[in-house]
């Protein structure tokens, strides 16, 4: 396996490490900076071998590694509790905060009939089990890796813990990334643009920074010289008899010399190591097991979760997506890339089946209790847009400079104000997980719409009189839409007004005759819920919008967005697991 | 099949391996399924987590039964017990120990006229050893003591100025990872369980040793119960009101109570506690509740409450359909709290890190012929590993009586694996306390043979006058406040 891989295992199964941003939270995933500091500590405390130092300095230059870890849903944080520990700096067994008030007696220390003041401490931890963790630099030079391997292996072998002193590990330079069978894992890759979490990083000079911060040499030198001065002064004090004056003069010269040397030595106390540089990480989508058909849209969705505002039904998709698009366009300003706007520089729409940024709703659908309300929204990128470009254009809208998600307020007219923010990576709700909408990596054979597909053209056949022909025509339009996305033609297309997914409203609202108003002859009223009609430019009437169910010969990977309204959330398909027959 | 561990194998593992690890399944002494009581933290909450474990398809609720810090104390206690009951002596071995002797200050009969009342203990403290003091050899109790006998009698064990302190204190100033010989001689458990000489002469820059042994016990597949409390007093049927007396006591007689009103319109001052708080009278049967500071999810509550409803008006269904989903309820002060758990089993994991031991060096002045410093280092590290095995096995065999209603028992002998590189399968070693003591004895013999110091007799210290005064004062206060203690 090319590159460099370093693995470690938590020997007790628990990773005990405090998040640098909060003492009430465990740090997970482990920051590469923390891992490096553990290796540096091993080096500092085991004699600072030259070859090992060179290896660590080489490691510093390799850039940000990938993190290969057990899947997030298999790592469980322990409830953080305050632990009161007896402190050592005050021997008083009682506390007397106010001389006017009664003192408080501290509890006895176990079997000893003496009390001791206790202070609250926290030990945040996560349960990892016996699954190993890896840092991987895939582009590390193999010749360099071979030359430093032995030294790095020694350093790894000397690492005792990553995090708190109870977070014992064994560490090694790995030939391959090997997880136990059936382990679900995830890979985190550096991505500053649209990162899911921020981690402390290592850069060239980190080892020297740690060395300077600890200042062992300075303090040791100070101690040695101070010892010599004390010795000389003692000798001076004891010097008596013949030649004493001369000897004292000599000693004074020596003492002065030592004292002047002492003055220039930096003997400051160690500074708690703090890495100031951070880098963003995002979870890498799993690689498909083999060649598999996929759409031209990327499986890496930018997911936003609702953080405030009313509970909206799925039928409000269009309003929300238009508002979200407005927010994005307003942020990007005048120099809008074509993959964002969907238009070329001359204002013409993108041709040749080129996709551009799409906005989709993320509703609670498909389960027995689903009611279709919106949990968030997502942005879908064309595969061809490089990730750094995505981050460059959209990153500042959603993530602050310090890596914190920014709240975006969407004005939705009568629906009120809806606030969204970039998804926290620990989010577990299924609708807010990309794989729910992409079926990545294995793909799915059956997909059905959760928002109606708006047909690109009107079928010529009459749906009432020529049902079979109409259905065949619609299937053809849908198959063409699939081809436009880069997918094979489905082997079967089911068409209807009701979704195959629980919780999704009808493709269009039903109407019923309005009774009780004799002066409004022929008037109708809404019956049940349904999606509003998708507005179409230049067309005389509303285009047919339908729910469809697609059956492919082989599994395909999404996201799948069909037909005319696909860039604003209509025609969104979701894998249909189980029976597609209704 | 597990075999027994010999010194050669242990020494080899310590010099090249990653760790010694023991995972043992425990059951409540009352039998499988008996309720056990985990430790409670601020707010009367338990430390809970989920784990994915091999025998369970889904992640299971686990609860902390004994923390790393607590386990270290229990292992030291097991070593102390083995010293006190003569187990080590019978095996022909001793463990270095420093003791602070308070016995001469316990004089209830007032036979020692030299002792002033400020120096006379209210209750006996006995001897406090470096195995009992929270911060081991660096603890304030030892810091506030003087040498009891010998040439340095009366000299402070530790002092701010080096010239004022004992030779032991002077040596302790210079201990570090690269020079741990003094600690090996005086307090090897500090090297095993960790130590920070944070309040010695160097303050926060004092020597710091990270723990090499980590042990923890968790209950697996925890189902949370509640705790009830009640009291039926055999002589008091109804709890009367208590009034405060002028002397600071309590009374039920209005005539003896402090009258804050006038003789015509009396207003008697109530005593600060109720009768039930004096452990008298009846206590209404009630459930244990969360107290101040409770936070985090409440495991007694269902994780999610969902309510689905559909509105109907005069037989016609409207389109409105709603669902409420609540978050996991939080533990709150005053709510009924958890009281004990039933568990499928408890799991103890003990790990001794060999790289942590390998960081320690033990320089000696005169190397025996044919021996290198690395031989000496390895011999000392092997002693520490054997001492760790000894502490863990002694604690396990003594029974893990963690607290009231939480006595656990290993279901099988402790089986240790020596971890090397990932993928190397170890055959496993069954180690009894007797075997571990013998292993320690052999390791100590090998260490002393290469010139390492190993103190056989306890180093006895006497508490300073001010420390005794503090202890006496605290005991008096505790007695005055009803001996309830607590913060």
């Amino acid at each position: 396996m090319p590159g460099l891989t370093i693995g470690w295992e938590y020997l007790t199964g628990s990773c005990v490490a405090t998040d640098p941003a909060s003492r009430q939270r465990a740090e997970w995933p482990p920051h590469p900076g923390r891992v490096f500091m553990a290796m540096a500590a091993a080096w500092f405390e085991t004699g600072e071998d030259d070859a090992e130092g060179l290896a660590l300095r080489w490691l510093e230059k390799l850039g940000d590694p990938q993190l290969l870890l057990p899947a997030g849903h298999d790592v469980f944080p322990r409830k953080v509790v305050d632990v009161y520990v007896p402190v050592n700096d005050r021997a008083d067994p009682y506390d007397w905060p106010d001389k006017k008030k009664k003192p408080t007696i501290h509890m006895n220390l176990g079997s000893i009939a003496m009390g001791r003041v206790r202070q609250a401490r926290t030990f945040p931890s996560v349960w990892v089990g016996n699954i190993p963790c890896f840092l991987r630099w895939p582009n590390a030079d193999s010749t360099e890796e071979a030359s430093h391997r032995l030294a790095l292996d020694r350093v790894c072998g000397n690492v005792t813990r990553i995090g708190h002193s109870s977070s014992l590990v064994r560490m090694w330079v790995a030939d391959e990334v090997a997880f136990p069978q059936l382990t679900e894992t995830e890979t985190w890759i550096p991505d500053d643009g649209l990162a899911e979490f921020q981690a402390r990083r290592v850069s060239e000079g980190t080892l020297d920074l740690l060395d300077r911060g600890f200042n062992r040499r300075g303090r040791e030198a100070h101690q040695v010289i101070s010892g010599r001065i004390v010795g000389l002064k003692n000798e001076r004090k004891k010097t008596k008899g013949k030649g004493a004056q001369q000897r004292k003069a000599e000693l004074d010269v020596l003492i002065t010399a030592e004292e002047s040397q002492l003055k220039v030595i930096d003997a400051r106390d160690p500074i708690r190591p703090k890495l100031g540089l951070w880098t963003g990480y995002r979870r890498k989508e799993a690689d498909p097991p083999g060649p598999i058909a996929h759409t031209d849209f990327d499986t890496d969705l930018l997911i936003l979760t609702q953080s405030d505002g009313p509970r909206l039904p799925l039928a409000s998709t269009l309003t929300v997506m238009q508002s979200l698009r407005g927010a994005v366009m307003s942020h990007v300003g005048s120099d809008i890339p074509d993959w964002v706007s969907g238009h070329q520089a001359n204002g013409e729409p993108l041709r040749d089946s080129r996709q551009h940024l799409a906005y989709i709703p993320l509703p609670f659908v498909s389960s027995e209790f689903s009611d279709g309300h919106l949990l968030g929204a997502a942005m879908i990128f064309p595969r061809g847009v490089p990730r750094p470009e995505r981050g460059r254009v959209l990153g500042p809208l959603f993530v602050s400079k310090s890596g914190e998600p920014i709240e975006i307020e969407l004005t939705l007219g009568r629906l009120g104000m809806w606030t969204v923010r970039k998804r926290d990576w620990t989010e577990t709700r299924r609708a807010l997980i990309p794989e729910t909408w992409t079926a990545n990596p294995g793909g799915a054979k059956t997909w059905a719409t959760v928002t109606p597909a708006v047909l690109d053209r009107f079928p010529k056949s009459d749906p009432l009189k020529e049902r079979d022909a109409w259905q065949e025509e619609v299937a053809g339009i849908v198959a063409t839409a699939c081809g436009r996305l880069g997918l094979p033609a489905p082997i079967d297309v089911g068409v209807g007004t009701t979704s195959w997914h629980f919780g999704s409203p009808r493709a269009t609202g039903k109407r019923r005759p309005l009774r009780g108003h004799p002066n409004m002859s022929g008037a109708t009223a809404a019956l049940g819920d349904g999606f509003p009609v998708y507005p179409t430019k230049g067309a005389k009437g509303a285009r047919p919008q339908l729910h469809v169910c697609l059956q492919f010969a082989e599994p395909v990977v999404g996201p799948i967005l069909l037909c005319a309204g696909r860039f604003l959330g209509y025609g969104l398909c979701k894998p249909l697991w189980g029976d597609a027959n209704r | 099949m597990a075999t027994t561990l010999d010194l050669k194998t242990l020494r080899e593992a310590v010099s090249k391996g990653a760790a010694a690890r023991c995972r043992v399944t425990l059951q409540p002494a009352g039998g499988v399924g008996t309720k056990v009581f985990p430790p409670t933290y601020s707010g009367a909450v338990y430390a809970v987590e989920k784990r994915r474990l091999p025998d369970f398809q889904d992640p299971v609720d686990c609860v902390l039964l004994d923390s790393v810090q607590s386990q270290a104390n229990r292992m030291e206690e097991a070593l102390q017990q083995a010293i006190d009951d003569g187990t080590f002596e019978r095996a022909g071995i001793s463990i270095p120990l420093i003791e602070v002797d308070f016995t001469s200050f316990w004089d209830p009969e007032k036979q020692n006229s030299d002792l002033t009342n400020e120096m006379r203990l209210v209750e006996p403290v006995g001897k406090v050893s470096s195995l009992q003091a929270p911060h081991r050899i660096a603890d304030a109790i030892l810091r506030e003591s003087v040498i009891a006998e010998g040439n340095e009698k009366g000299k402070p064990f530790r002092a701010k100025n080096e010239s004022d302190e004992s030779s032991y204190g002077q040596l302790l100033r210079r201990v570090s990872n690269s020079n741990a010989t003094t600690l090996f001689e005086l307090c090897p458990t500090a090297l095993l369980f960790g130590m920070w000489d944070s309040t010695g002469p160097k303050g926060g820059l004092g020597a710091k040793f990270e723990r090499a042994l980590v042990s923890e016990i968790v209950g697996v597949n925890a189902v949370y119960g509640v705790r009830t409390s009640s009291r039926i007093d055999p002589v008091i049927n109804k709890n009367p009101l208590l009034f405060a007396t002028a002397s600071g006591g309590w009374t039920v007689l209005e005539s003896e109570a402090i009258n804050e009103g006038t003789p015509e319109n009396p207003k008697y001052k109530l005593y600060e506690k109720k009768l039930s708080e004096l452990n008298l009278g009846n206590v209404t049967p009630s459930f244990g509740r969360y107290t101040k500071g409770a936070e985090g999810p409440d495991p007694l509550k269902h994780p999610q409450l969902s309510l689905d409803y559909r509105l109907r008006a005069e037989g016609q269904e409207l389109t409105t359909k709603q669902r409420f989903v609540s978050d996991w309820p939080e533990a709150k002060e005053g709510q009924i709290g958890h009281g004990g758990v039933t568990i499928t089993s408890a799991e103890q994991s003990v790990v001794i890190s060999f790289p942590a031991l390998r960081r320690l060096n033990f320089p000696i002045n005169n190397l025996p012929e044919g021996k290198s410093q690395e031989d000496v280092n390895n011999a000392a590290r092997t002693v520490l590993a054997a001492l760790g095995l000894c502490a863990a096995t002694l604690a396990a065999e003594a029974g893990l009586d963690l607290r009231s209603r939480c006595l656990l028992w290993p279901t099988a002998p402790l089986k240790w694996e020596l971890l090397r590189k990932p993928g190397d399968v170890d055959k496993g070693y069954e180690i009894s306390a007797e075997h571990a003591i013998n292993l320690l004895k052999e390791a100590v013999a090998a260490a002393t043979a290469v010139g390492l110091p190993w103190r056989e007799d306890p180093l006895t210290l006497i508490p300073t006058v001010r420390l005794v005064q503090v202890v006496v004062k605290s005991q008096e206060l505790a007695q005055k406040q009803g001996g309830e203690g607590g913060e």
Side-chain angles (χ1 to χ4, degrees):
Chain A
M1 188 182 229
L4 170 70
T5 307
I6 287 176
W8 71 93
E9 177 193 348
Y10 293 96
L11 291 171
T12 62
S14 290
C15 162
V16 189
T18 305
D19 189 310
S22 167
R23 298 202 74 79
Q24 295 295 320
R25 205 168 52 210
E27 179 188 283
W28 188 266
H31 296 181
R34 183 186 288 278
V35 180
F36 183 83
M37 285 197 284
M39 296 174 76
W43 181 66
F44 287 128
E45 291 175 10
T46 54
E48 300 182 17
D49 174 78
D50 288 344
E52 292 171 15
L54 283 175
L56 286 173
R57 289 196 167 86
W58 172 68
L59 201 64
E60 288 178 343
K61 296 179 199 163
L62 292 182
D64 297 318
Q66 298 177 352
L67 290 162
L68 294 93
L69 305 170
H73 56 257
D74 280 344
V75 172
F76 305 97
R78 175 177 290 177
K79 184 159 95 175
V80 177
V81 291
D82 284 340
V83 179
Y84 286 86
V85 300
V87 296
N88 204 25
D89 48 351
R90 284 183 53 205
D92 298 15
Y94 55 93
D95 191 17
W96 212 312
D98 185 344
K99 295 288 176 198
K100 291 175 188 167
K101 290 182 182 171
K102 279 185 182 176
T104 312
I105 304 298
H106 298 298
M107 285 168 67
N108 284 350
L109 293 168
S111 56
I112 310 170
M114 294 170 64
R116 177 77 63 87
V117 62
R118 289 164 165 82
Q119 292 291 328
R121 299 278 185 273
T122 53
F123 303 99
S125 72
V126 293
W127 170 254
V128 187
N130 60 356
I131 305 170
C133 305
F134 297 94
L135 287 188
R136 180 161 163 66
W137 292 264
N139 299 321
D141 182 83
S142 54
T143 318
E144 293 254 45
E145 193 266 350
S147 69
H148 292 299
R149 191 181 172 105
L150 271 177
L152 270 182
D153 215 20
R154 283 200 302 274
V155 174
C156 290
N158 287 330
V159 171
T160 57
R161 62 185 166 107
I162 296 178
H164 185 254
S165 65
S166 61
S167 192
L168 297 179
V169 296
R170 66 168 157 178
M171 191 185 240
W172 64 95
V173 178
D175 292 323
E176 55 179 352
V177 174
F179 287 104
Q181 275 191 332
L182 303 176
T183 303
E184 287 189 56
T185 62
E186 59 191 26
T187 303
W188 290 88
I189 53 177
D191 186 342
D192 262 333
L194 291 165
E196 292 187 72
F197 88 97
Q198 298 286 322
R200 286 169 294 163
R201 65 188 298 253
V202 175
S203 60
E204 204 170 341
T206 301
L207 194 67
D208 290 334
L209 181 85
L210 296 172
D211 194 15
R212 283 197 301 276
F214 192 57
N215 192 33
R216 180 173 62 82
R217 288 177 188 80
R219 283 180 290 118
E220 279 178 2
H222 193 274
Q223 198 175 0
V224 169
I225 296 172
S226 302
R228 281 208 299 263
I229 293 172
V230 170
L232 291 170
K233 283 182 175 173
N234 284 341
E235 190 186 337
R236 190 181 186 286
K237 206 184 271 180
K238 288 174 189 167
T239 304
K240 285 175 187 164
K242 196 180 171 187
Q245 204 168 356
Q246 189 186 346
R247 179 61 188 151
K248 279 185 178 177
E250 286 168 10
L251 287 170
D252 283 341
V253 172
L254 287 173
I255 289 168
T256 311
E258 294 282 12
E259 281 177 342
S260 60
Q261 202 181 339
L262 197 65
K263 278 180 193 163
V264 295
I265 287 177
D266 177 9
R268 68 186 152 73
D269 294 350
I271 301 165
R272 193 178 178 80
K274 194 176 176 183
L275 300 181
L277 294 176
W278 294 65
T279 197
Y281 274 84
R282 69 174 173 83
R283 200 170 356 208
K284 182 176 179 282
E285 313 82 64
D287 294 324
I292 196 162
H294 56 75
T295 64
D296 292 341
F297 286 114
D298 199 350
T299 50
D300 183 19
L301 315 185
L302 171 52
I303 290 181
L304 307 171
T305 55
Q306 182 192 359
S307 57
D308 199 7
R311 184 186 175 92
L312 295 177
L314 180 52
S316 58
T317 291
L318 204 52
T319 312
V320 178
M321 296 308 117
Q322 281 172 332
S323 179
L324 179 58
R325 183 174 187 273
V328 169
M329 297 295 275
S330 154
H331 158 74
V332 178
S334 55
D335 187 17
I336 305 174
D338 56 3
W339 62 268
V340 174
S341 65
H343 293 87
Q344 301 172 54
N346 60 8
E348 289 284 309
L350 292 177
R351 304 281 179 199
D352 306 325
S353 303
R354 279 184 63 194
Q355 308 299 344
H356 58 87
L357 191 64
Y359 306 83
I360 61 164
L362 300 178
F364 175 41
V365 290
S366 305
S367 88
E368 192 185 349
F369 303 106
S370 298
D371 63 357
H373 78 275
L374 292 183
L375 294 167
M379 277 180 260
I380 300 184
F381 300 91
R383 278 181 184 262
V385 181
R387 288 179 204 283
E389 169 72 358
R390 300 175 200 179
R392 184 188 67 77
V393 176
L394 295 179
L397 175 62
F398 297 108
V399 187
S400 70
K401 282 181 182 168
S402 60
E404 294 297 312
I406 297 171
E407 302 265 336
I408 312 288
E409 287 189 339
L410 303 177
T411 308
L412 305 174
R414 284 187 305 160
L415 294 177
M417 194 78 90
W418 217 54
T419 311
V420 290
R421 59 187 292 172
K422 197 170 167 300
R423 180 187 73 135
D424 189 282
W425 72 270
T426 54
E427 180 63 67
T428 53
R429 287 175 289 179
R430 295 212 70 81
L432 300 173
I433 294 171
E435 289 75 14
T436 303
W437 305 97
T438 62
N440 195 40
K445 281 187 179 179
T446 311
W447 295 71
T449 51
V450 292
T451 56
V454 183
L455 300 188
D456 298 309
R457 61 180 175 82
F458 289 90
K460 293 191 174 76
S461 312
D462 187 325
L464 298 174
K465 295 174 187 168
E466 306 157 291
R467 185 73 190 175
D468 288 348
W470 177 83
Q471 205 150 340
E472 203 172 313
E473 217 177 326
V474 171
I477 294 169
V478 171
T480 307
C482 287
R484 210 176 285 138
L485 291 175
L487 290 177
I491 54 172
D492 188 39
V493 179
V495 182
T497 51
T498 306
S499 175
W500 275 255
H501 291 287
F502 282 114
S504 173
R506 283 169 56 84
T508 50
K510 256 185 170 178
R511 308 292 295 177
R512 64 180 169 84
L514 186 66
R515 293 196 185 90
H517 292 278
N519 56 336
M520 294 170 69
S521 166
T524 58
L527 174 64
D529 52 359
F531 283 91
V533 170
Y534 185 78
T536 318
K537 276 185 196 166
K540 287 177 184 171
R543 286 179 179 172
Q545 53 188 54
L546 301 157
H547 279 298
V548 297
C549 179
L550 313 174
Q551 187 85 40
F552 293 95
E554 298 295 332
V556 300
V557 167
I560 299 178
L561 296 165
L562 296 173
C563 302
R566 64 184 181 279
F567 298 111
L568 285 173
Y570 273 37
L572 170 65
C573 295
K574 183 174 183 287
L576 192 65
W577 308 106
D579 188 10
N581 295 321
R582 295 190 295 198
Chain B
M1 189 181 156
T3 53
T4 49
L5 179 67
D6 59 41
L7 187 65
K8 187 174 169 240
T9 312
L10 180 64
R11 189 187 296 132
E12 196 181 295
V14 169
S15 63
K16 290 178 186 157
R21 183 165 63 186
C22 171
R23 285 173 174 160
V24 62
T25 302
L26 311 164
Q27 283 293 353
V32 179
T34 316
K35 205 171 179 182
V36 292
F37 281 74
T40 52
Y41 295 92
S42 178
V45 297
Y46 296 156
V48 295
E49 68 187 7
K50 280 196 182 292
R51 290 187 177 188
R52 190 176 284 284
L53 296 171
D55 295 337
F56 299 87
Q57 194 175 354
D58 294 317
V60 286
D61 284 324
C62 295
V63 58
L64 181 67
L65 291 180
D66 214 29
S67 67
V68 172
Q69 295 79 5
S70 171
Q71 274 287 290
N73 292 344
R74 288 182 204 285
M75 289 184 185
E76 289 177 293
E77 204 173 286
L79 289 173
Q80 182 70 54
Q81 183 62 33
I83 292 170
D84 293 345
D85 66 17
T87 304
F88 282 127
E89 197 178 354
R90 284 192 296 279
I93 185 178
S94 62
I95 304 288
L97 199 66
I98 305 175
E99 291 177 333
V100 181
D101 189 355
F102 284 82
T103 52
S104 57
F105 303 98
W106 170 239
D107 181 28
E109 309 294 330
K110 300 193 176 176
Q111 289 173 344
N112 184 353
S113 55
D114 293 343
L115 277 185
T116 59
N117 281 342
E118 291 78 31
M119 294 289 289
R120 194 169 278 126
L121 291 170
V122 178
E123 55 179 308
V125 171
K127 290 179 179 177
V128 177
S129 79
S130 49
L131 284 168
Q132 296 171 301
H135 295 265
R136 306 187 174 102
I137 194 173
D139 196 81
I141 298 173
L142 278 69
R143 191 187 68 208
E144 295 289 334
S145 299
V146 298
I147 305 292
E149 52 208 19
N151 297 337
E152 298 188 281
K153 187 177 177 181
K155 220 167 189 191
F157 180 60
R158 311 294 303 274
K160 196 170 182 183
N161 296 321
E162 191 170 348
S163 53
D164 297 337
E165 73 183 343
S166 68
S167 59
Y168 306 103
Q170 290 175 4
L171 287 168
L172 284 173
R173 283 173 183 255
R174 288 171 188 82
V175 294
S176 65
N177 276 347
S178 56
N179 181 9
T181 315
T182 301
L183 276 180
F184 182 81
E185 179 186 2
L186 296 177
C187 185
T189 45
L191 298 171
L192 195 61
F193 297 110
M195 184 204 86
W196 182 19
D197 189 15
S198 61
T199 59
K202 293 184 187 173
L205 300 179
K208 204 172 188 178
F209 292 88
E210 63 188 51
R211 56 167 63 81
L213 188 153
V214 172
S215 174
E216 192 176 67
I217 302 175
V218 293
V220 175
N221 204 12
V223 177
Y224 301 89
V226 293
R227 185 172 51 85
T228 56
S229 59
S230 65
R231 182 174 194 273
I232 305 294
D233 195 296
V235 291
I236 302 171
N237 294 331
K238 286 280 179 190
N239 293 6
L241 279 179
L242 297 187
F243 302 110
T245 64
S247 61
W250 57 268
T251 178
V252 292
L253 302 176
E254 292 174 354
S255 57
E256 292 178 9
I258 299 171
N259 184 1
E260 292 179 326
T262 58
E264 298 75 31
N265 191 13
K267 192 180 170 190
Y268 301 112
K269 187 182 177 185
L270 290 176
Y271 187 58
E272 59 193 22
K273 289 180 179 176
K274 292 179 184 172
L275 194 67
S276 58
E277 288 172 293
L278 299 173
N279 295 330
L280 285 170
N282 299 313
V283 175
T284 313
S286 61
F287 291 110
R289 290 174 189 274
Y290 293 118
T291 58
K292 194 179 174 186
E295 54 181 40
D298 180 357
L300 274 184
K301 304 279 188 343
H302 195 272
Q304 208 174 52
L305 171 71
S306 64
L307 173 66
D308 292 86
Y309 69 89
R310 216 174 250 266
L311 286 179
R312 280 176 183 273
E314 295 174 1
Q316 191 177 15
E317 190 169 359
L318 299 177
T319 55
T320 310
K321 191 170 82 173
Q322 282 288 5
R323 182 170 195 242
F324 289 120
V325 179
S326 71
D327 291 330
W328 190 308
E330 294 275 307
K332 284 181 187 162
E333 181 185 355
Q335 287 182 343
I336 294 174
H338 38 40
V341 294
T342 48
I343 50 175
T344 305
S345 63
E347 303 290 330
Q348 181 184 17
S349 99
V350 191
V351 176
I352 303 172
S353 167
F354 294 150
L357 296 182
R358 286 200 293 270
R359 286 195 189 178
L360 304 172
N361 292 288
F362 303 88
I364 53 171
N365 288 332
N366 301 310
L367 282 173
E369 204 176 317
K371 296 288 178 191
S372 67
Q373 182 55 52
E374 199 49 26
D375 294 331
V376 175
N377 290 340
N378 278 338
R381 294 164 189 164
T382 308
V383 170
L384 295 176
L387 186 61
L389 294 173
C390 205
T393 49
L394 279 167
E397 289 188 15
L400 295 152
D401 191 4
L402 305 181
R403 65 194 65 80
S404 171
R405 298 178 71 184
C406 195
L407 172 59
L408 302 174
W409 207 264
T411 55
L414 264 59
K415 192 174 170 184
W416 292 79
E417 48 181 343
L418 298 176
L419 304 178
R420 294 178 177 89
K421 289 276 179 191
D424 288 355
V425 180
D426 190 67
K427 54 189 174 184
Y429 302 90
E430 268 180 21
I431 303 177
S432 64
E434 188 187 351
H435 178 209
I437 291 171
N438 284 333
L439 205 58
L440 177 63
K441 187 180 169 186
E442 286 178 47
V444 170
T448 48
V450 293
L452 277 160
W454 182 261
R455 191 178 173 94
E456 303 213 326
D457 302 320
L459 172 63
T460 306
L461 309 178
I462 299 288
T464 56
V465 170
R466 67 180 184 183
L467 177 60
V468 177
Q469 285 171 345
V470 161
V471 175
V472 171
K473 186 79 180 167
S474 89
Q475 291 184 341
E476 283 171 358
L477 285 166
Q479 205 175 47
K480 206 182 264 181
Q481 289 180 15
E484 291 166 11
E487 288 162 279

